[in-house]
Amino acid sequence: MDLIVSISGLTKNYGIKQALRGVNLALPKGRIIGLLGPNGSGKSTLIKILSGVLCPTAGQIQIGGFAPGIETKRIVSYLPERTYLSDWMKVDDAIDMFVDFYPDFSKERAYDMLSRLQIDPRARFKTMSKGTKEKVQLILVMSRRAQLYLLDEPIGGVDPAARDYILQTIISNYDENATVLISTHLIADVEQILDDVVFIKDGQVMLQAAVEDIREKQGKSVDGLFREVFKC
Ligand SMILES: Nc1ncnc2c1ncn2[C@@H]1O[C@H](COP(=O)(O)OP(=O)(O)OP(=O)(O)O)[C@@H](O)[C@H]1O
């Protein structure tokens, strides 16, 4: 199996709080993977470490053969859980900023997705709804030709009718050798596009499985299995 990410013994402490406890995980190339777990289970922490925003306390990580750093930032496209776009900016300013930052950014792809989602490139972020801003951020992140996309809660603020359309638009634009890791609580909405899932609880990986196996062998949806495994 050709891997894009391999993680061994990954631990992250925030002071006395242990957010990740010895995570071992291998993510293959060319898969769309759901990172699923209850609140506080460590999803954002794991994604931040993979993106290079946070440093691990212990453990090894390889992304495309490199430890997180300058080389991996070239091949990783990261959507943080919170917005980082300044309100005074217009959509096309943000696109120009991405063009300057990332040689793999496709302006054509970005404008194509904006037009499909009927978003005006001259609009200023301060005039936009939360959901529209989210759509723009996702478009920016998915317009790079990255090898690994890390999407932390990408569609939380988007209305249910638009979610499917956005997911399909985004997915249809990505290169099939790339891997997408999506953290979300909207499992029922996202599971149609997932190949694999990783369940995480209390900073540890509980399960890694192909969605097809969950459906065929266990006769369950991912949403159904999640509700069963994490029942309060
Ligand atoms: N900066 C921080 N300082 C201290 N504790 C933190 C910090 N960030 C996260 N934590 C703690 O680490 C644990 C994991 O948090 P994390 O945000 O990774 O979880 P999550 O699975 O993304 O949660 P959610 O689904 O609610 O977004 C939680 O107990 C959280 O309170």
Side-chain angles (χ1 to χ4, degrees):
M1 194 169 40
D2 212 359
L3 299 179
I4 182 69
V5 173
S6 58
I7 299 173
S8 68
L10 176 62
T11 296
K12 176 67 187 176
N13 300 338
Y14 296 106
I16 55 162
K17 169 81 205 174
Q18 239 193 344
L20 297 175
R21 310 159 184 254
V23 169
N24 299 313
L25 192 61
L27 305 179
K29 288 187 178 169
R31 307 289 282 179
I32 302 177
I33 304 161
L35 179 63
L36 312 174
N39 292 123
S41 52
K43 303 180 295 296
S44 293
T45 302
L46 178 59
I47 286 183
K48 282 179 190 159
I49 290 173
L50 289 172
S51 73
V53 170
L54 276 182
C55 288
T57 304
Q60 272 82 44
I61 302 167
Q62 292 265 297
I63 304 173
F66 299 101
I70 293 169
E71 287 90 352
T72 62
K73 285 192 177 161
R74 286 199 196 107
I75 57 171
V76 173
S77 190
Y78 166 52
L79 178 80
E81 61 185 331
R82 289 202 184 84
T83 182
Y84 52 87
L85 296 167
S86 307
D87 262 357
W88 56 265
M89 272 188 155
K90 291 183 183 144
V91 176
D92 54 9
D93 295 329
I95 290 178
D96 289 342
M97 190 174 86
F98 267 66
V99 169
D100 287 345
F101 275 158
Y102 302 109
D104 63 353
F105 186 85
S106 164
K107 214 168 170 172
E108 197 188 332
R109 255 197 209 188
Y111 279 102
D112 178 51
M113 284 194 262
L114 285 173
S115 102
R116 284 207 250 168
L117 293 170
Q118 296 172 321
I119 298 169
D120 177 7
R122 298 297 302 152
R124 240 177 247 285
F125 289 117
K126 73 172 171 204
T127 66
M128 287 181 179
S129 69
K130 182 177 165 221
T132 305
K133 259 192 257 181
E134 272 191 13
K135 290 177 194 171
V136 175
Q137 287 199 151
L138 194 51
I139 288 171
L140 290 168
V141 167
M142 294 308 295
S143 294
R144 288 186 55 198
R145 291 196 183 278
Q147 292 177 34
L148 177 65
Y149 297 89
L150 300 170
L151 311 180
D152 197 352
E153 282 287 350
I155 53 164
V158 173
D159 70 82
R163 278 176 205 154
D164 285 357
Y165 186 71
I166 291 170
L167 288 170
Q168 292 308 335
T169 306
I170 303 303
I171 293 314
S172 64
N173 270 287
Y174 105 107
D175 169 11
E176 60 178 28
N177 287 320
T179 292
V180 185
L181 184 67
I182 307 178
S183 130
T184 185
H185 293 295
L186 298 168
I187 304 172
D189 291 299
V190 169
E191 74 169 280
Q192 43 158 336
I193 64 156
L194 298 180
D195 298 310
D196 301 320
V197 290
V198 172
F199 280 10
I200 178 169
K201 185 186 180 188
D202 295 332
Q204 288 183 316
V205 172
M206 287 182 70
L207 169 94
Q208 183 173 14
V211 170
E212 209 175 84
D213 285 349
I214 295 173
R215 292 211 186 104
E216 281 174 15
K217 293 190 189 142
Q218 305 202 39
K220 289 177 187 136
S221 66
V222 175
D223 190 57
L225 182 65
F226 184 91
R227 284 169 199 269
E228 202 178 288
V229 169
F230 294 109
K231 198 168 173 190
C232 294

PDB file of all heavy atoms in Angstrom, residues 123-142:
ATOM      1  N   ALA A 123     -16.955  40.215  -4.187  1.00  0.00           N
ATOM      2  CA  ALA A 123     -17.607  40.435  -2.880  1.00  0.00           C
ATOM      3  C   ALA A 123     -16.570  40.493  -1.758  1.00  0.00           C
ATOM      4  O   ALA A 123     -15.546  39.808  -1.805  1.00  0.00           O
ATOM      5  CB  ALA A 123     -18.608  39.320  -2.618  1.00  0.00           C
ATOM      6  N   ARG A 124     -16.850  41.365  -0.778  1.00  0.00           N
ATOM      7  CA  ARG A 124     -15.985  41.469   0.398  1.00  0.00           C
ATOM      8  C   ARG A 124     -16.449  40.478   1.469  1.00  0.00           C
ATOM      9  O   ARG A 124     -17.657  40.260   1.620  1.00  0.00           O
ATOM     10  CB  ARG A 124     -16.106  42.884   0.966  1.00  0.00           C
ATOM     11  CG  ARG A 124     -14.821  43.640   0.987  1.00  0.00           C
ATOM     12  CD  ARG A 124     -15.031  45.054   1.483  1.00  0.00           C
ATOM     13  NE  ARG A 124     -14.783  46.023   0.434  1.00  0.00           N
ATOM     14  CZ  ARG A 124     -13.583  46.370   0.003  1.00  0.00           C
ATOM     15  NH1 ARG A 124     -12.504  45.830   0.538  1.00  0.00           N
ATOM     16  NH2 ARG A 124     -13.432  47.250  -0.960  1.00  0.00           N
ATOM     17  N   PHE A 125     -15.474  39.897   2.204  1.00  0.00           N
ATOM     18  CA  PHE A 125     -15.850  38.881   3.200  1.00  0.00           C
ATOM     19  C   PHE A 125     -16.799  39.434   4.257  1.00  0.00           C
ATOM     20  O   PHE A 125     -17.670  38.731   4.746  1.00  0.00           O
ATOM     21  CB  PHE A 125     -14.604  38.269   3.850  1.00  0.00           C
ATOM     22  CG  PHE A 125     -13.868  37.376   2.890  1.00  0.00           C
ATOM     23  CD1 PHE A 125     -12.577  37.679   2.485  1.00  0.00           C
ATOM     24  CD2 PHE A 125     -14.480  36.256   2.352  1.00  0.00           C
ATOM     25  CE1 PHE A 125     -11.912  36.870   1.571  1.00  0.00           C
ATOM     26  CE2 PHE A 125     -13.820  35.446   1.443  1.00  0.00           C
ATOM     27  CZ  PHE A 125     -12.545  35.756   1.054  1.00  0.00           C
ATOM     28  N   LYS A 126     -16.638  40.734   4.601  1.00  0.00           N
ATOM     29  CA  LYS A 126     -17.491  41.263   5.686  1.00  0.00           C
ATOM     30  C   LYS A 126     -18.969  41.311   5.282  1.00  0.00           C
ATOM     31  O   LYS A 126     -19.839  41.380   6.134  1.00  0.00           O
ATOM     32  CB  LYS A 126     -16.977  42.608   6.181  1.00  0.00           C
ATOM     33  CG  LYS A 126     -17.194  43.774   5.279  1.00  0.00           C
ATOM     34  CD  LYS A 126     -16.795  45.038   6.033  1.00  0.00           C
ATOM     35  CE  LYS A 126     -16.796  46.207   5.072  1.00  0.00           C
ATOM     36  NZ  LYS A 126     -15.945  47.283   5.505  1.00  0.00           N
ATOM     37  N   THR A 127     -19.245  41.251   3.980  1.00  0.00           N
ATOM     38  CA  THR A 127     -20.648  41.289   3.546  1.00  0.00           C
ATOM     39  C   THR A 127     -21.243  39.877   3.412  1.00  0.00           C
ATOM     40  O   THR A 127     -22.407  39.718   3.067  1.00  0.00           O
ATOM     41  CB  THR A 127     -20.777  41.982   2.167  1.00  0.00           C
ATOM     42  OG1 THR A 127     -20.125  41.150   1.191  1.00  0.00           O
ATOM     43  CG2 THR A 127     -20.161  43.361   2.151  1.00  0.00           C
ATOM     44  N   MET A 128     -20.420  38.863   3.658  1.00  0.00           N
ATOM     45  CA  MET A 128     -20.872  37.490   3.390  1.00  0.00           C
ATOM     46  C   MET A 128     -21.421  36.787   4.625  1.00  0.00           C
ATOM     47  O   MET A 128     -20.971  37.053   5.744  1.00  0.00           O
ATOM     48  CB  MET A 128     -19.694  36.641   2.906  1.00  0.00           C
ATOM     49  CG  MET A 128     -19.281  36.959   1.530  1.00  0.00           C
ATOM     50  SD  MET A 128     -17.920  35.849   1.136  1.00  0.00           S
ATOM     51  CE  MET A 128     -17.648  36.402  -0.508  1.00  0.00           C
ATOM     52  N   SER A 129     -22.301  35.837   4.389  1.00  0.00           N
ATOM     53  CA  SER A 129     -22.781  34.997   5.488  1.00  0.00           C
ATOM     54  C   SER A 129     -21.660  34.029   5.873  1.00  0.00           C
ATOM     55  O   SER A 129     -20.726  33.805   5.096  1.00  0.00           O
ATOM     56  CB  SER A 129     -24.013  34.211   5.052  1.00  0.00           C
ATOM     57  OG  SER A 129     -23.631  33.238   4.100  1.00  0.00           O
ATOM     58  N   LYS A 130     -21.807  33.438   7.062  1.00  0.00           N
ATOM     59  CA  LYS A 130     -20.803  32.480   7.567  1.00  0.00           C
ATOM     60  C   LYS A 130     -20.643  31.311   6.581  1.00  0.00           C
ATOM     61  O   LYS A 130     -19.535  30.879   6.265  1.00  0.00           O
ATOM     62  CB  LYS A 130     -21.285  31.977   8.929  1.00  0.00           C
ATOM     63  CG  LYS A 130     -20.367  31.030   9.618  1.00  0.00           C
ATOM     64  CD  LYS A 130     -20.940  30.687  10.989  1.00  0.00           C
ATOM     65  CE  LYS A 130     -20.236  29.472  11.549  1.00  0.00           C
ATOM     66  NZ  LYS A 130     -21.117  28.541  12.207  1.00  0.00           N
ATOM     67  N   GLY A 131     -21.794  30.822   6.087  1.00  0.00           N
ATOM     68  CA  GLY A 131     -21.773  29.669   5.176  1.00  0.00           C
ATOM     69  C   GLY A 131     -21.053  29.986   3.869  1.00  0.00           C
ATOM     70  O   GLY A 131     -20.294  29.168   3.358  1.00  0.00           O
ATOM     71  N   THR A 132     -21.294  31.189   3.336  1.00  0.00           N
ATOM     72  CA  THR A 132     -20.635  31.559   2.074  1.00  0.00           C
ATOM     73  C   THR A 132     -19.126  31.695   2.286  1.00  0.00           C
ATOM     74  O   THR A 132     -18.332  31.255   1.455  1.00  0.00           O
ATOM     75  CB  THR A 132     -21.235  32.866   1.502  1.00  0.00           C
ATOM     76  OG1 THR A 132     -22.634  32.678   1.386  1.00  0.00           O
ATOM     77  CG2 THR A 132     -20.659  33.203   0.139  1.00  0.00           C
ATOM     78  N   LYS A 133     -18.735  32.278   3.424  1.00  0.00           N
ATOM     79  CA  LYS A 133     -17.294  32.383   3.725  1.00  0.00           C
ATOM     80  C   LYS A 133     -16.664  30.993   3.789  1.00  0.00           C
ATOM     81  O   LYS A 133     -15.574  30.767   3.296  1.00  0.00           O
ATOM     82  CB  LYS A 133     -17.100  33.083   5.072  1.00  0.00           C
ATOM     83  CG  LYS A 133     -16.719  34.541   4.923  1.00  0.00           C
ATOM     84  CD  LYS A 133     -16.267  35.101   6.242  1.00  0.00           C
ATOM     85  CE  LYS A 133     -17.354  35.944   6.834  1.00  0.00           C
ATOM     86  NZ  LYS A 133     -17.056  36.563   8.091  1.00  0.00           N
ATOM     87  N   GLU A 134     -17.385  30.076   4.416  1.00  0.00           N
ATOM     88  CA  GLU A 134     -16.885  28.696   4.501  1.00  0.00           C
ATOM     89  C   GLU A 134     -16.687  28.093   3.115  1.00  0.00           C
ATOM     90  O   GLU A 134     -15.712  27.396   2.857  1.00  0.00           O
ATOM     91  CB  GLU A 134     -17.874  27.811   5.264  1.00  0.00           C
ATOM     92  CG  GLU A 134     -17.629  27.811   6.739  1.00  0.00           C
ATOM     93  CD  GLU A 134     -18.441  26.734   7.448  1.00  0.00           C
ATOM     94  OE1 GLU A 134     -19.006  25.833   6.800  1.00  0.00           O
ATOM     95  OE2 GLU A 134     -18.509  26.812   8.671  1.00  0.00           O
ATOM     96  N   LYS A 135     -17.666  28.355   2.236  1.00  0.00           N
ATOM     97  CA  LYS A 135     -17.556  27.824   0.871  1.00  0.00           C
ATOM     98  C   LYS A 135     -16.297  28.376   0.198  1.00  0.00           C
ATOM     99  O   LYS A 135     -15.551  27.639  -0.437  1.00  0.00           O
ATOM    100  CB  LYS A 135     -18.784  28.208   0.041  1.00  0.00           C
ATOM    101  CG  LYS A 135     -20.054  27.501   0.456  1.00  0.00           C
ATOM    102  CD  LYS A 135     -21.224  27.997  -0.379  1.00  0.00           C
ATOM    103  CE  LYS A 135     -22.548  27.579   0.233  1.00  0.00           C
ATOM    104  NZ  LYS A 135     -23.706  28.194  -0.388  1.00  0.00           N
ATOM    105  N   VAL A 136     -16.059  29.683   0.375  1.00  0.00           N
ATOM    106  CA  VAL A 136     -14.887  30.307  -0.269  1.00  0.00           C
ATOM    107  C   VAL A 136     -13.592  29.694   0.286  1.00  0.00           C
ATOM    108  O   VAL A 136     -12.671  29.365  -0.473  1.00  0.00           O
ATOM    109  CB  VAL A 136     -14.888  31.840  -0.074  1.00  0.00           C
ATOM    110  CG1 VAL A 136     -13.605  32.447  -0.631  1.00  0.00           C
ATOM    111  CG2 VAL A 136     -16.111  32.462  -0.737  1.00  0.00           C
ATOM    112  N   GLN A 137     -13.545  29.521   1.604  1.00  0.00           N
ATOM    113  CA  GLN A 137     -12.325  28.940   2.199  1.00  0.00           C
ATOM    114  C   GLN A 137     -12.053  27.547   1.656  1.00  0.00           C
ATOM    115  O   GLN A 137     -10.918  27.185   1.373  1.00  0.00           O
ATOM    116  CB  GLN A 137     -12.464  28.869   3.715  1.00  0.00           C
ATOM    117  CG  GLN A 137     -12.360  30.200   4.356  1.00  0.00           C
ATOM    118  CD  GLN A 137     -12.027  30.080   5.828  1.00  0.00           C
ATOM    119  OE1 GLN A 137     -11.420  30.956   6.382  1.00  0.00           O
ATOM    120  NE2 GLN A 137     -12.423  29.016   6.477  1.00  0.00           N
ATOM    121  N   LEU A 138     -13.129  26.787   1.540  1.00  0.00           N
ATOM    122  CA  LEU A 138     -12.984  25.424   1.037  1.00  0.00           C
ATOM    123  C   LEU A 138     -12.520  25.443  -0.428  1.00  0.00           C
ATOM    124  O   LEU A 138     -11.656  24.656  -0.836  1.00  0.00           O
ATOM    125  CB  LEU A 138     -14.329  24.716   1.183  1.00  0.00           C
ATOM    126  CG  LEU A 138     -14.377  23.213   1.029  1.00  0.00           C
ATOM    127  CD1 LEU A 138     -13.353  22.532   1.903  1.00  0.00           C
ATOM    128  CD2 LEU A 138     -15.773  22.711   1.394  1.00  0.00           C
ATOM    129  N   ILE A 139     -13.063  26.364  -1.203  1.00  0.00           N
ATOM    130  CA  ILE A 139     -12.655  26.496  -2.605  1.00  0.00           C
ATOM    131  C   ILE A 139     -11.160  26.836  -2.687  1.00  0.00           C
ATOM    132  O   ILE A 139     -10.415  26.256  -3.489  1.00  0.00           O
ATOM    133  CB  ILE A 139     -13.512  27.571  -3.326  1.00  0.00           C
ATOM    134  CG1 ILE A 139     -14.927  27.028  -3.549  1.00  0.00           C
ATOM    135  CG2 ILE A 139     -12.872  28.007  -4.646  1.00  0.00           C
ATOM    136  CD1 ILE A 139     -15.930  28.045  -4.054  1.00  0.00           C
ATOM    137  N   LEU A 140     -10.717  27.764  -1.821  1.00  0.00           N
ATOM    138  CA  LEU A 140      -9.295  28.148  -1.842  1.00  0.00           C
ATOM    139  C   LEU A 140      -8.409  26.944  -1.550  1.00  0.00           C
ATOM    140  O   LEU A 140      -7.422  26.680  -2.245  1.00  0.00           O
ATOM    141  CB  LEU A 140      -9.035  29.255  -0.808  1.00  0.00           C
ATOM    142  CG  LEU A 140      -9.639  30.624  -1.126  1.00  0.00           C
ATOM    143  CD1 LEU A 140      -9.556  31.536   0.093  1.00  0.00           C
ATOM    144  CD2 LEU A 140      -8.928  31.275  -2.310  1.00  0.00           C
ATOM    145  N   VAL A 141      -8.795  26.195  -0.531  1.00  0.00           N
ATOM    146  CA  VAL A 141      -7.987  25.047  -0.108  1.00  0.00           C
ATOM    147  C   VAL A 141      -7.988  23.940  -1.171  1.00  0.00           C
ATOM    148  O   VAL A 141      -6.959  23.323  -1.451  1.00  0.00           O
ATOM    149  CB  VAL A 141      -8.516  24.525   1.255  1.00  0.00           C
ATOM    150  CG1 VAL A 141      -7.959  23.174   1.601  1.00  0.00           C
ATOM    151  CG2 VAL A 141      -8.166  25.522   2.343  1.00  0.00           C
ATOM    152  N   MET A 142      -9.155  23.711  -1.795  1.00  0.00           N
ATOM    153  CA  MET A 142      -9.262  22.627  -2.775  1.00  0.00           C
ATOM    154  C   MET A 142      -8.754  23.034  -4.161  1.00  0.00           C
ATOM    155  O   MET A 142      -8.648  22.191  -5.044  1.00  0.00           O
ATOM    156  CB  MET A 142     -10.708  22.134  -2.884  1.00  0.00           C
ATOM    157  CG  MET A 142     -11.257  21.458  -1.650  1.00  0.00           C
ATOM    158  SD  MET A 142     -10.265  20.115  -0.949  1.00  0.00           S
ATOM    159  CE  MET A 142     -10.316  18.869  -2.228  1.00  0.00           C
TER     160      MET A 142
END
